[in-house]
Amino acid sequence: MSEVVQRVVVGVDGSKESVSALRQAAQEAERHDAALCPVIAWVPPGGEAADAMYPAPADVRAHWERTARDRLMTACDQALGADARRLVVRPRVVRAQPGPALVACARRDTDMLVMGAGRHGSVHRLLFGSVSRHCLRHARCPVLVVHPDEEK
């Protein structure tokens, strides 16, 4: 594993936890003089299997992707503000499940993967799995899991 970090990949979904992770990722990118790569992953409502059986029209798919991009840009604005000018920021929208998408985006040993620890309950994790657990298990680079702010 390389000790040089060239890219900091961070998972974003628009939640408060992911905005906190994005702030932490920006600090890591600045500390390592690395590019900041915020990534949002999306799947069609109902999942890929439903979309394969009943494909959505192209304009509807474009709407879903635009919505994801808007969420990503809003999170970047909230987390980075004017600090974004000091960083090389390369946002990315990916159509895939979040865990595999983040692992694929942070595929180099010179990457660092940052993500927020979600607050989903055990039933949600049972049905959908844990993105952070998937990334910790499969990532080939260092992974930083940012726990939710304790402030209320």
Side-chain angles (χ1 to χ4, degrees):
M1 184 176 324
S2 174
E3 293 187 24
V4 175
V5 174
Q6 295 177 347
R7 293 185 322 149
V8 178
V9 177
V10 56
V12 177
D13 64 7
S15 68
K16 182 177 80 168
E17 291 81 15
S18 75
V19 172
S20 293
L22 184 51
R23 283 189 192 102
Q24 182 67 45
Q27 291 174 5
E28 292 296 328
E30 189 169 9
R31 184 166 74 91
H32 291 284
D33 195 27
L36 177 64
C37 303
V39 176
I40 190 166
W42 69 276
V43 292
E48 292 295 347
D51 191 55
M53 288 177 54
Y54 305 103
D59 62 330
V60 173
R61 289 180 188 194
H63 171 74
W64 292 335
E65 185 164 349
R66 258 192 325 275
T67 299
R69 183 173 308 283
D70 291 346
R71 255 194 331 225
L72 177 61
M73 300 317 292
T74 298
C76 287
D77 289 343
Q78 289 174 345
L80 307 176
D83 292 341
R85 289 184 223 134
R86 295 186 308 205
L87 299 168
V88 174
V89 182
R90 297 183 184 131
R92 188 165 177 204
V93 178
V94 179
R95 180 177 171 170
Q97 291 293 331
L102 292 171
V103 169
C105 288
R107 66 190 174 280
R108 304 176 192 154
D109 64 351
T110 56
D111 291 340
M112 173 187 280
L113 178 57
V114 179
M115 65 187 54
R119 291 187 183 220
H120 296 297
S122 56
V123 173
H124 184 276
R125 283 192 302 274
L126 177 66
L127 294 174
F128 300 105
S130 165
V131 174
S132 55
R133 187 168 288 142
H134 177 89
C135 292
L136 286 166
R137 188 172 293 136
H138 298 286
R140 299 179 60 169
C141 65
V143 179
L144 174 62
V145 179
V146 178
H147 291 278
D149 293 334
E150 296 300 322
E151 303 173 320
K152 294 201 177 188

